[in-house]
Amino acid sequence: MIDLHYWTTPNGHKIAIFLEEAGLPYRIFPVNIGKGEQFKSEFLAISPNNRIPAIVDHEPADGGAPLAMFESGAILLYLADKIGRFIAKDLRGRTDTIQWLFWQMANLGPMAGQNNHFSNYAVEKLPYAIDRYRNEVNRLYGVLNTRLADRPFIAGDYSIADMASYPWIVPYERQGQKLEDFPHLKRWFEAVRARPAVERAYEKAKTINPNQSGIRTAEERAILFGQTAASVAAAKR
Ligand SMILES: N[C@@H](CCC(=O)N[C@@H](CS)C(=O)NCC(=O)O)C(=O)O
C-alpha cells in the first residue's frame, strides 16, 4: 500500500497518474495547501520542504520500515524502479528517460510555476516578469515539440518523463500558450489525455477539490505567497 500525500496541482497529478497507470494499491491523504496543511508537523516529517506530493511506501523492496519520500521526480523514479515499468530497462533508454524527467523538474515545472504566479497571481502586474516567464515557457514548449517530432512519447515509449510533463501542459491557456503553435506537442498531449489512467487521475482530483479554478482567496494568498524560513520554523514548534 502506498500513501499519497497530495493536492490537486500539477506536481500532485504526476503521482496520481503513475499510481493509476501502475494499478498499485494506494490511498490519498489530501493536503490542502491553500489552508496551510503543508505546515502540519506530521506532513513536514515526510516532506520537510512543505510541498506536495509525498509518499509513504508501506512495502519497500528491502522489506524494512515504511519508506517516506518527497520531490515528485524522485518519487516517480522510485516507483518506476519498484515495479520495473514506465522506465526503459536498457542503459541508453533509461538514461534518456531520466534526463527528460530532470528536464521537467528543473525547467518546465519551475518556469511554468513562476509564469503562473506573475501572470495570474501577482497583485502588481510586472511586464518584465510576465514576459520573461511566458517566453521561457514558450521556449520549453518548443523544446518538447521538437523532441516529439519523431517519437510518440518523450523517451520513446510512454514513461515517467511523460507523466512528469503532461500536467504542466494541461494549463496551457493559463500559461499564455497556444497548442496549435506546437503540433507534435498537441498530438502527444491528446494521446496522453486520452489514456484511461490519466482520465481517472483527473476525475479523482475533482472529487478531492471541486475548486479547480485556480482562484486564490486572500487567506490562501497569504499562506502560499508570504513564506519565509520563519514559516517552516514556526510550524515545527
Ligand atoms: N519540486 C517539487 C515542487 C513541489 C511543489 O511546488 N508543490 C506545490 C504544489 S504544485 C506545493 O506543495 N505548494 C505548497 C506551498 O507552496 O506551500 C516537486 O516536484 O515535488
Side-chain angles (χ1 to χ4, degrees):
M1 175 65 78
I2 307 278
D3 295 346
L4 171 59
H5 297 262
Y6 155 95
W7 196 238
T8 56
T9 67
N11 290 314
H13 293 315
K14 293 176 189 174
I15 313 303
I17 290 173
F18 184 99
L19 292 166
E20 287 293 334
E21 292 282 7
L24 282 173
Y26 73 102
R27 50 189 181 182
I28 289 183
F29 292 80
V31 180
N32 187 333
I33 60 172
K35 288 206 163 82
E37 291 176 2
Q38 68 274 40
F39 291 107
K40 285 187 174 168
S41 53
E42 313 90 87
F43 181 67
L44 287 174
I46 56 172
S47 187
N49 195 35
N50 66 272
R51 298 283 188 270
I52 65 95
I55 62 162
V56 178
D57 180 359
H58 290 275
E59 288 170 48
D62 64 2
L67 189 151
M69 288 191 79
F70 65 103
E71 279 296 328
S72 61
I75 295 169
L76 286 173
L77 190 52
Y78 170 82
L79 291 174
D81 281 344
K82 178 182 174 74
I83 63 167
R85 291 178 64 200
F86 305 118
I87 184 162
K89 292 194 169 57
D90 64 290
L91 175 73
R92 284 159 204 274
R94 182 178 167 83
T95 306
D96 221 14
T97 314
I98 291 174
Q99 74 183 353
W100 281 96
L101 176 66
F102 275 57
W103 173 84
Q104 187 287 316
M105 296 300 297
N107 295 272
L108 184 61
M111 295 301 128
Q114 295 304 323
N115 188 27
N116 192 29
H117 183 84
F118 285 107
S119 289
N120 300 314
Y121 292 136
V123 177
E124 197 183 343
K125 294 294 172 218
L126 299 168
Y128 181 88
I130 291 170
D131 290 350
R132 158 90 185 135
Y133 290 111
R134 188 178 294 155
N135 289 344
E136 181 60 0
V137 169
N138 186 267
R139 185 186 75 80
L140 293 165
Y141 273 42
V143 170
L144 211 42
N145 187 56
T146 303
R147 174 70 184 174
L148 289 162
D150 59 356
R151 70 203 82 215
F153 296 102
I154 295 173
D157 292 336
Y158 181 64
S159 75
I160 51 175
D162 302 291
M163 298 180 204
S165 279
Y166 173 78
W168 290 100
I169 309 299
V170 172
Y172 62 87
E173 283 170 340
R174 276 176 75 77
Q175 291 288 328
Q177 309 300 328
K178 293 195 201 80
L179 277 195
E180 283 62 37
D181 294 345
F182 305 102
H184 308 299
L185 179 64
K186 185 167 188 284
R187 187 260 312 144
W188 166 89
F189 175 74
E190 286 165 0
V192 177
R193 184 176 58 185
R195 293 181 71 86
V198 174
E199 286 177 0
R200 285 197 300 277
Y202 279 81
E203 281 306 310
K204 213 165 252 189
K206 283 189 215 155
T207 65
I208 290 168
N209 177 18
N211 172 22
Q212 301 281 313
S213 68
I215 294 167
R216 296 276 178 210
T217 63
E219 186 200 0
E220 289 178 333
R221 299 172 66 86
I223 290 167
L224 289 165
F225 307 145
Q227 296 178 11
T228 63
S231 318
V232 188
K236 283 203 165 240
R237 275 202 294 273

